[in-house]
């Protein structure tokens, strides 16, 4: 998606050969006009997939996911990293270990909101090693839903997340595919790569 690639080139900061900082429009400050176009683009890509719910993982996935859900005309559900102990809900959980951040958490979904008969689109901001996306797929599958695909804003194509999701048999659509990062260097995967 050219608009997102242009924004990454203009405002993204490659901190190292593996980390891209996009705090000014995705992770800290959020650009609502960009999010609108990102949601429209996901909705167009997945329009024939029979999606009934959009799922995302808190927190940075929420803005693009709500926009995609708006254009698809379906609800958006936030998969939680922390469970409220006072709510005695019908929870489904799966453990996620982030290699990027070196943290572990129980990803949680209430079975009240996703179940048999649902076809879900999973949206997240980054795809690195795919732990988060694979965890969201596990949760939705446990709930009985079908997976329409995974929609990503920024895929780090030099990490193994995309291949893991494809190997598991799911569709991945990434709006920006970063081939290479280095201090001050950002290169995208070209169409014909
Ligand atoms: P993993 O398999 O390597 O653990 O990667 P995963 O895709 O699960 O990402 C783990 C967390 O690190 C996610 O944030 C993801 O957005 C973030 N992340 C991964 N690579 C980058 C990067 O190059 N730049 C930035 N800015 N973030 C990256 P999270 O913990 O879910 O945080 P948030 O959604 O609350 O922001």
């Amino acid at each position: 998606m050219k608009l997102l690639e242009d924004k990454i080139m203009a405002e993204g900061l490659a901190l190292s050969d593996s980390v891209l900082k996009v705090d000014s429009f995705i992770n800290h400050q959020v650009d609502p006009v960009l999010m609108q176009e990102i949601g429209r683009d996901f909705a167009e890509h997945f329009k024939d997939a029979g999606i009934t719910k959009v799922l995302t993982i808190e927190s940075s996935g929420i803005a693009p996911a709500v926009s995609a859900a708006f254009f698809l005309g379906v609800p958006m559900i936030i998969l939680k990293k922390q469970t409220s102990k006072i709510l005695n809900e019908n929870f489904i959980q799966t453990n996620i270990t982030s290699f990027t951040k070196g943290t572990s958490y129980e990803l949680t979904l209430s079975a009240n909101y996703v179940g048999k008969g649902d076809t879900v689109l999973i949206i997240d901001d980054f795809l690195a090693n795919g732990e988060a996306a694979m965890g969201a797929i596990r949760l939705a599958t446990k709930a009985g839903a079908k997976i329409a695909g995974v929609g990503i804003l920024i895929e780090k194509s030099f990490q193994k997340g995309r291949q893991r999701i494809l190997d598991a048999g799911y569709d991945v659509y990434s709006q920006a595919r970063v081939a290479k990062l280095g201090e001050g260097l950002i290169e995208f995967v070209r169409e014909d790569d």
Side-chain angles (χ1 to χ4, degrees), residues 99 129-131 134 138 160-170:
F99 298 109
N129 292 303
E131 285 300 312
M134 289 304 297
R138 277 199 304 283
K160 61 182 190 209
R162 180 188 189 85
Q163 200 53 49
R164 274 184 75 187
I165 298 168
L166 293 177
D167 287 350
Y170 302 102

Side-chain angles (χ1 to χ4, degrees), residues 20 27 59-60 81 98-101 125-126 129 131 156:
L20 178 63
N27 291 134
S59 58
S60 298
K81 292 177 184 164
S98 166
F99 298 109
T100 308
K101 293 198 169 169
D125 56 338
F126 270 93
N129 292 303
E131 285 300 312
K156 292 191 290 182

Side-chain angles (χ1 to χ4, degrees), residues 28-172:
H28 201 15
Q29 174 169 262
V30 175
D31 180 336
V33 176
L34 178 67
M35 289 304 153
Q36 175 167 298
E37 295 313 314
I38 279 172
R40 198 194 303 274
D41 183 68
F42 279 134
E44 173 61 27
H45 183 86
F46 288 102
K47 65 177 186 290
D48 298 323
I51 290 157
T52 60
K53 304 271 166 74
V54 174
L55 269 53
T56 193
I57 299 169
E58 62 178 343
S59 58
S60 298
I62 294 173
V66 79
S67 175
F70 173 81
F71 286 106
L72 286 164
V74 300
M76 186 276 282
I77 291 151
I78 303 165
L79 303 179
K80 309 263 191 173
K81 292 177 184 164
Q82 281 176 351
T83 314
S84 166
K85 299 260 188 315
I86 53 168
L87 298 175
N88 191 17
E89 291 249 9
N90 196 3
F91 287 138
I92 306 170
Q93 294 188 308
T94 192
N95 189 269
I96 310 268
T97 300
S98 166
F99 298 109
T100 308
K101 293 198 169 169
T103 52
S104 189
Y105 56 89
E106 289 294 324
L107 193 66
T108 302
L109 164 69
S110 164
N112 295 346
Y113 301 120
V114 178
K116 286 192 185 64
D118 277 319
T119 299
V120 302
L121 168 63
I122 293 162
I123 288 192
D124 211 355
D125 56 338
F126 270 93
L127 179 61
N129 292 303
E131 285 300 312
M134 289 304 297
I137 289 171
R138 277 199 304 283
L139 265 193
T141 305
K142 267 192 193 178
K146 268 176 51 185
I147 313 294
V150 177
I152 297 291
L153 276 66
I154 304 175
E155 169 190 309
K156 292 191 290 182
S157 305
F158 51 88
Q159 293 187 257
K160 61 182 190 209
R162 180 188 189 85
Q163 200 53 49
R164 274 184 75 187
I165 298 168
L166 293 177
D167 287 350
Y170 302 102
D171 182 25
V172 184

